[in-house]
Amino acid sequence: MTTYKEAGVDVEAGEETVDRIRSSVQDTFTPGVLADIGAFGSLFEPDLEGMDAPVLVSSIDGVGTKLKVASRAGRYDTVGQDLVNHCVNDVAACGARPLYFLDYYGVGTLEPDTAEAVVGGFATACDENECALVGGEIAEMPDVYGEGDFDLVGTVVGLVDKGKIVTGEEVGPGDVLLGLPSTGIHTNGYTLARSVLFDAYTVNDCPSELGGRSVGEALLRVHRSYLRPIRSLVESGLAKGLAHITGGGLPNNLGRVVPEGSTAVVDYDAWDRPSIFSLIQELGDVPEADMRQTFNLGVGLVAVVRADDAPDAVGQLKSMGESPIRIGRIEAAAESS
């Protein structure tokens, strides 16, 4: 006779995990949440007061191979925050405020301590973004995930009034690019970063270039949320376009909010790159073009504003404790011959 546990799935560990995370998840519930943990579906009643034409905005994403760094470092309390903030930034860049978040946590062998840290990260970021953690799936599949491996996927649903959706359609020549600093690599480019850094260092090594941080600490810095500055720019009508700088770097992500006939011109000398990027480039002899197409290089969000509005936008952001940088402009695209 073979039991489910002997086959590789520990139901009791799953029940223990749910018991451990219950209170932290419930602490994220906002007034719209109508169902507790354990229901077959998550129920949410949005507040539509003051909205003429409410539109739902959704985003789904993962953390990528940053999970490999978390496993190597034995630290799991940051990657959940990364996932929530990444998804929240995506819907916020469309002008939406997040309503609720759902996660998928797939693992080879379920360890309640690890699961509690991961889900605790979800709860921390949901609370900071005023976004309810309404549901999730913990799947123990030893035949799919190897020993110590796991995967995270998250979905966020937000709400925006149709007339306030930020599309970038009105972006045009003369507009200014204002960048907000990243907290490091965020959640993109880790395959390249790991390949370079872990050929030379262990996760606990502290190269002088990192200013006292270990390689693991530098790589696991939390992908920050830009919700507050984004909401400020959207509500004041200053943002013509918003680009969350993820995979593809500044060139590809700015291209998503700049309409045909215009192009974004970035001055890469306008800011000092965080040392982690310089270390990767020098240690791996990585071409500049690859750096720009792979990493955010220290700028995690770009707002496109009218030139005349730039001083107001900068002042508004600084009043919130942000450090905006004028990193470029929009120009007319050169016509092909």
Side-chain angles (χ1 to χ4, degrees), residues 27 56 86 95 106 117 143 150 184 186 236 251-252 282 286 294 296 311 323:
D27 286 344
L56 294 175
H86 186 140
D143 293 336
F150 68 106
H186 283 182
S236 62
N252 286 7
E282 293 168 9
V286 182
T294 305
N296 65 60
S323 301

Side-chain angles (χ1 to χ4, degrees), residues 10-279:
D10 190 341
V11 175
E12 292 179 354
E15 292 174 347
E16 179 185 345
T17 298
V18 172
D19 288 340
R20 288 194 187 194
I21 66 175
R22 184 180 301 278
S23 63
S24 61
V25 172
Q26 290 173 333
D27 286 344
T28 73
F29 286 178
T30 57
V33 177
L34 302 181
D36 201 353
I37 296 174
F40 286 103
S42 300
L43 304 176
F44 192 93
E45 181 179 22
D47 179 5
L48 305 180
E49 184 178 355
M51 305 193 86
D52 295 325
V55 174
L56 294 175
V57 184
S58 56
S59 175
I60 183 169
D61 221 308
V63 184
T65 61
K66 191 171 186 176
L67 298 176
K68 290 288 190 180
V69 182
S71 293
R72 191 180 287 236
R75 182 179 178 184
Y76 303 98
D77 61 325
T78 63
V79 287
Q81 297 177 63
D82 291 323
L83 185 55
V84 173
N85 289 341
H86 186 140
C87 291
V88 165
N89 289 339
D90 281 349
V91 298
C94 299
R97 57 181 174 86
L99 297 177
Y100 57 85
F101 177 84
L102 301 99
D103 69 272
Y104 165 82
Y105 174 33
V107 62
T109 301
L110 182 59
E111 299 288 346
D113 287 344
T114 301
E116 184 177 14
V118 170
V119 178
F122 293 150
T124 295
C126 282
D127 186 56
E128 291 173 351
N129 288 291
E130 298 181 355
C131 173
L133 175 56
V134 297
E137 165 71 0
I138 298 176
E140 186 176 23
M141 298 184 290
D143 293 336
V144 174
Y145 299 103
E147 182 69 28
D149 288 342
F150 68 106
D151 195 16
L152 298 179
V153 179
T155 298
V156 70
V157 175
L159 187 69
V160 62
D161 207 341
K162 190 173 183 179
K164 295 183 178 180
I165 296 174
V166 180
T167 64
E169 291 178 355
E170 297 181 0
V171 168
D175 289 338
V176 169
L177 305 178
L178 297 179
L180 293 183
S182 69
T183 46
I185 298 183
H186 283 182
T187 50
N188 296 97
Y190 276 82
T191 299
L192 176 56
R194 290 185 304 108
S195 175
V196 170
L197 293 176
F198 290 140
D199 273 352
Y201 302 111
T202 70
V203 73
N204 295 316
D205 284 341
C206 298
S208 59
E209 294 90 342
L210 298 183
R213 284 195 180 95
S214 70
V215 171
E217 288 170 336
L219 291 177
L220 288 176
R221 294 195 71 191
V222 172
H223 184 151
R224 64 164 295 196
S225 169
Y226 294 98
L227 179 62
R228 288 185 66 250
I230 287 175
R231 295 301 304 157
S232 177
L233 293 175
V234 170
E235 290 170 4
S236 62
L238 292 172
K240 295 180 71 176
L242 292 161
H244 182 205
I245 310 306
T246 54
L250 284 158
N252 286 7
N253 288 289
L254 283 170
R256 297 163 71 174
V257 298
V258 177
E260 188 175 352
S262 296
T263 187
V265 178
V266 176
D267 177 6
Y268 285 91
D269 294 323
W271 71 96
D272 295 325
R273 296 181 185 179
S275 57
I276 186 69
F277 298 110
S278 301
L279 181 61

Side-chain angles (χ1 to χ4, degrees), residues 300-316:
L301 184 92
V302 177
V304 187
V305 303
R306 297 173 183 84
D308 290 345
D309 289 338
D312 287 342
V314 168
Q316 189 166 298

